[in-house]
Amino acid sequence: MNKSSKSIHQSLAPSTHPPIVVANWKMHFGQAETVTRLSSLRTKLKTFSHDVKVVVCPSFTSLPAAKTLGPSIVHLGAQDVFWDERGAYTGEVSPLMLSELGVEYVIIGHSERRQLMGETDVMIGRKMISALAHGMMPILCVGETADERRQQRHERVVANQLQRALRSLPPPPRHRRLYVAYEPIWAVGTGQPADPAAALSMAELIRQTLVDLYGGPLVDSSFRTLYGGSVDSANITQYVHPGGFTGALVGTASLEPASFVTILKAVKKVFA
Ligand code: PGA
């Protein structure tokens, strides 16, 4: 797909949905540090409107501490979930345990889990079903490696990841939200974000793959597409804007509350 950025902008209908920005804090902070950073973020966002959805995904062990801060404009997400509710699954975390902690969003199939922990599309598909069955909104990560892009296989790879993760999933009811994060693996944590036009072309591919699976009306009502991979306050609006991605998944630049707030304000401005 070698379309110019202009034609891509035209082919993705301007979004009427509020943008969403998700912070992935990975394996960075324990309970005390999570509370300090989350409190600082909440304070900085006191006057921030609900026009932008804000989600923070701390480590599993920090979720209870995060929950003690009470409800706020900052929603709570988890970085993974297991597919069964209970049983002999040493080290896994049940969807029931996450629901109990007020977790509303869950990242599924992050490239670090696929690459380092050997997660397969089948496992990811089961986790998608689990999240939805327990009322959590999944953020399904897809993306190609540098080699796959070099070999021009990126579109096939991403379409396959989507089809395999979603094929056992019944069509979601219209009021449910499912997020698909396009995260090219070579852009995650490298400081080398994807070319915005190339990323938007992948957003278009993702949308078309979803439309083939579920039909246009359901995709428009239930699915949102995010970009992730070296997002910062200087580049965020090249990806997230009306006619572009509906949101972003942010790692490194979300760790400092001040830098994350700059990203949120930039998103708010571009959708105002
Ligand atoms: P990054 O991480 O922003 O540091 O590239 C993104 C992610 O892992 O989701």
Side-chain angles (χ1 to χ4, degrees):
M1 232 182 267
N2 276 322
K3 297 184 179 174
S4 71
S5 131
K6 189 158 171 270
S7 66
I8 288 155
H9 283 223
Q10 284 164 349
S11 62
L12 284 175
S15 173
T16 51
H17 308 290
I20 175 168
V21 186
V22 182
N24 179 6
W25 282 359
K26 307 193 180 183
M27 201 178 71
H28 282 295
F29 310 127
Q31 298 194 67
E33 191 71 26
T34 295
V35 167
T36 305
R37 288 179 192 246
L38 206 48
S39 304
S40 159
L41 183 62
R42 289 162 57 123
T43 306
K44 289 182 197 311
L45 293 177
K46 264 221 165 88
T47 56
F48 203 71
S49 64
H50 289 261
D51 303 344
V52 180
K53 270 198 190 309
V54 186
V55 181
V56 172
C57 305
S59 61
F60 281 137
T61 58
S62 298
L63 284 168
K67 191 193 177 204
T68 60
L69 295 178
S72 89
I73 188 173
V74 183
H75 300 264
L76 218 48
Q79 298 173 21
D80 189 22
V81 63
F82 194 61
W83 53 78
D84 257 359
E85 290 185 345
R86 53 175 63 81
Y89 301 111
T90 304
E92 292 300 333
V93 176
S94 155
L96 292 176
M97 297 167 186
L98 295 180
S99 299
E100 185 180 53
L101 292 170
V103 167
E104 294 172 78
Y105 296 81
V106 59
I107 298 172
I108 294 179
H110 190 279
S111 59
E112 285 149 16
R113 296 208 57 83
R114 290 178 189 259
Q115 298 225 299
L116 305 174
M117 264 61 84
E119 265 189 28
T120 64
D121 289 317
V122 171
M123 293 158 83
I124 289 162
R126 296 181 78 181
K127 292 179 177 196
M128 290 293 292
I129 295 171
S130 161
L132 283 168
H134 292 84
M136 288 178 280
M137 284 168 275
I139 302 161
L140 168 65
C141 299
V142 293
E144 79 283 0
T145 64
D147 273 351
E148 288 161 345
R149 179 161 280 267
R150 253 193 304 275
Q151 296 158 7
Q152 297 293 313
R153 289 168 49 218
H154 49 288
E155 294 188 350
R156 188 86 303 263
V157 165
V158 167
N160 278 343
Q161 287 173 340
L162 268 177
Q163 284 156 354
R164 290 184 189 140
L166 299 175
R167 72 176 155 211
S168 308
L169 200 73
R174 269 169 200 283
H175 62 280
R176 297 302 301 277
R177 288 282 168 280
L178 290 86
Y179 298 89
V180 177
Y182 171 59
E183 295 212 311
I185 296 173
W186 42 273
V188 172
T190 59
Q192 293 179 335
D195 169 64
L200 275 170
S201 152
M202 292 304 282
E204 198 184 346
L205 171 100
I206 288 168
R207 188 187 138 72
Q208 192 51 53
T209 308
L210 294 172
V211 168
D212 292 345
L213 282 168
Y214 298 112
L218 187 60
V219 172
D220 290 338
S221 67
S222 296
F223 285 87
R224 307 284 178 266
T225 311
L226 318 186
Y227 170 76
S230 298
V231 165
D232 60 24
S233 57
N235 65 29
I236 178 81
T237 56
Q238 294 177 23
Y239 305 98
V240 183
H241 55 79
F245 288 87
T246 313
L249 180 52
V250 189
T252 313
S254 74
L255 300 178
E256 290 299 330
S259 105
F260 191 48
V261 168
T262 317
I263 290 175
L264 296 172
K265 286 188 173 159
V267 170
K268 183 176 168 182
K269 200 164 160 205
V270 83
F271 277 87

